[in-house]
Amino acid sequence: MQVTTRRPMVAGNWKMNGDTSLIKTMQSTLAQADLSNMDWVICPPMPLLGLFDKSTKLGSQNVSQFDSGAHTGETSTSLLKEVGCQYVIIGHSERRQDNHESDQLIAEKVKKTLDAGLTPIFCFGEPESVRDDGSLFEYLSAQLDAVLEVIGISAFADLVMAYEPIWAIGTGKTASPEQAQEVHAFVRDYLAKQDANIAQQQVILYGGSVKGSNADELFSQPDVDGGLIGGASLKPDDFLSICLAANKLG
Ligand code: 13P
């Protein structure tokens, strides 16, 4: 039997929200707690990245696939590193939808991020129609395959995955713990076909209407290693409860 050393993690995706005052209250709220068994990460909008204490782990919500040059509005991996970023959310459904990011572009960005020594938080997940028409696992495997083909299974050791069913994002309609577990176990088995050890160590977060009130039961599922949090990551007390739920797993 393999020993699992997966470290629980909670990442707050502030999306296009937050300001300097939220940075202060978030940092002071979380500093009060013992969260030594888990990692918490804040992914604020780009202009706020440089304004956090050095002790806060930071992620960006996007990255360019290019190194530098004439790409107005884009941010490179090296600029993210300059402002102390360690993680990059890639493949979020809002960017897939609003910015027409394809599976191929997402795979390219994952590779670029890994090459720069940053940790991608690779997001995948289905719209409700896919669940309804019975093609859930085919749909998810296509999203995973696009990245697997470009970076290979061994590189999965250096990234975090986040399952975010689109129908559960910002809707208050959380996946049930059983629905989350079913997909997380599927993903782990899918990776295990290529490398059992990497699959066993793979951190897989759940995202979609996670709150302080439902984090415990979601995170208690055997293949759920923490969460990627939207709305509740803007409320310091709620975010702290979620982090404490993850800390209990460690
Ligand atoms: P909510 O927690 O607001 O549903 O958002 C989830 C999400 O999209 C995190 O990336």
Side-chain angles (χ1 to χ4, degrees):
M1 191 174 142
Q2 280 167 327
V3 181
T4 296
T5 54
R6 300 197 300 268
R7 188 167 163 83
M9 177 174 161
V10 172
N13 176 7
W14 284 9
K15 307 192 179 182
M16 204 167 66
N17 301 295
D19 52 21
T20 46
S21 111
L22 183 60
I23 293 175
K24 286 200 185 74
T25 48
M26 189 60 76
Q27 288 180 154
S28 61
T29 304
L30 290 170
Q32 291 164 20
D34 175 5
L35 296 171
S36 49
N37 296 329
M38 54 86 67
D39 289 322
W40 59 273
V41 178
I42 304 287
C43 307
M46 297 281 185
L48 300 183
L49 276 169
L51 306 180
F52 283 76
D53 285 349
K54 292 277 171 276
S55 59
T56 303
K57 290 199 165 93
L58 292 172
S60 83
Q61 299 172 18
N62 183 34
V63 69
S64 171
Q65 69 273 35
F66 302 112
D67 287 327
S68 63
H71 304 290
T72 303
E74 294 292 331
T75 306
S76 64
T77 50
S78 58
L79 287 168
L80 292 179
K81 284 167 85 166
E82 246 180 75
V83 289
C85 229
Q86 296 176 47
Y87 295 86
V88 184
I89 296 175
I90 301 173
H92 195 282
S93 59
E94 285 151 18
R95 288 204 61 87
R96 290 179 190 258
Q97 235 164 306
D98 298 355
N99 301 81
H100 314 290
E101 293 199 359
S102 64
D103 281 341
Q104 286 63 37
L105 177 62
I106 288 158
E108 214 180 310
K109 289 186 175 194
V110 167
K111 181 163 185 344
K112 175 67 65 183
T113 300
L114 286 168
D115 288 348
L118 297 167
T119 304
I121 301 175
F122 162 54
C123 303
F124 59 98
E126 79 289 355
E128 195 152 37
S129 57
V130 162
R131 224 167 228 277
D132 292 345
D133 74 17
S135 58
L136 174 63
F137 295 115
E138 265 165 66
Y139 186 92
L140 297 178
S141 10
Q143 287 185 328
L144 303 188
D145 283 346
V147 173
L148 272 166
E149 279 160 21
V150 170
I151 65 168
I153 185 68
S154 55
F156 272 64
D158 299 318
L159 61 75
V160 171
M161 299 177 80
Y163 170 54
E164 295 210 316
I166 298 171
W167 48 271
I169 296 179
T171 57
K173 213 167 139 184
T174 319
S176 67
E178 295 72 27
Q179 283 173 319
Q181 170 58 25
E182 185 187 28
V183 169
H184 285 227
F186 163 77
V187 170
R188 209 176 293 291
D189 287 348
Y190 197 75
L191 298 180
K193 288 190 190 125
Q194 293 196 32
D195 189 317
N197 189 43
I198 287 196
Q200 191 55 34
Q201 304 304 332
Q202 182 67 57
V203 171
I204 311 176
L205 310 179
Y206 166 78
S209 298
V210 180
K211 305 183 263 303
S213 55
N214 60 20
D216 262 327
E217 53 170 356
L218 283 162
F219 297 173
S220 64
Q221 297 300 310
D223 288 295
V224 177
D225 304 311
L228 180 55
I229 320 299
S233 74
L234 302 169
K235 301 176 192 153
D237 290 338
D238 219 9
F239 191 64
L240 173 60
S241 306
I242 297 168
C243 291
L244 286 168
N247 196 59
K248 284 189 219 156
L249 304 177

